[in-house]
Amino acid sequence: MITATYTDLRSNLKGFLDRVVKDSDNVIVNRGNGSAVVIMSLEEYESLMETAYIMSQPDIVEAIRQGDEDVKKENYEIVDVDEL
C-alpha cells in the first residue's frame, strides 16, 4: 500500500494510477485533518463489493461454513466436471 499527500498525487497522478492498475497496489491519499481516501482498481473494488454482499447473506455464509467443515472432515465427493 502506498501513502501519498494530495500534493504528491496531483504531481504524479499517472504514476500512482499506473501502480494501482499494474501492480494491484492501493494508494492512501492523506488530505489533512485526519481525513483520507483510498484509490484502488475497479477489479479490487468489485471483489470487495461481492464479498460484502456474500457476507451479508446468512444462508450463503452458513453454506460456506458447512462446506469448510465437510472438507475438514473429508466428507466430500470428487466430481469430474467433464462428466456433468
Side-chain angles (χ1 to χ4, degrees), residues 4 28-37:
I28 297 175
V29 182
N30 293 314
R31 301 188 67 215
N33 298 324
S35 67
V37 296

Side-chain angles (χ1 to χ4, degrees), residues 6-62:
Y6 177 75
T7 303
D8 293 337
L9 179 70
R10 210 174 44 201
S11 297
N12 192 14
L13 182 60
K14 181 183 181 321
F16 283 112
L17 295 181
D18 286 346
R19 286 185 66 179
V20 167
V21 172
K22 292 178 184 174
D23 301 333
S24 298
D25 229 336
N26 296 326
V27 179
I28 297 175
V29 182
N30 293 314
R31 301 188 67 215
N33 298 324
S35 67
V37 296
V38 176
I39 301 173
M40 67 177 65
S41 69
L42 179 59
E43 181 180 333
E44 185 170 354
Y45 173 78
E46 289 173 340
S47 175
L48 286 172
M49 292 299 100
E50 181 177 11
T51 299
Y53 172 76
I54 288 169
M55 296 306 289
S56 73
Q57 304 298 311
D59 55 329
I60 296 174
V61 172
E62 180 54 34

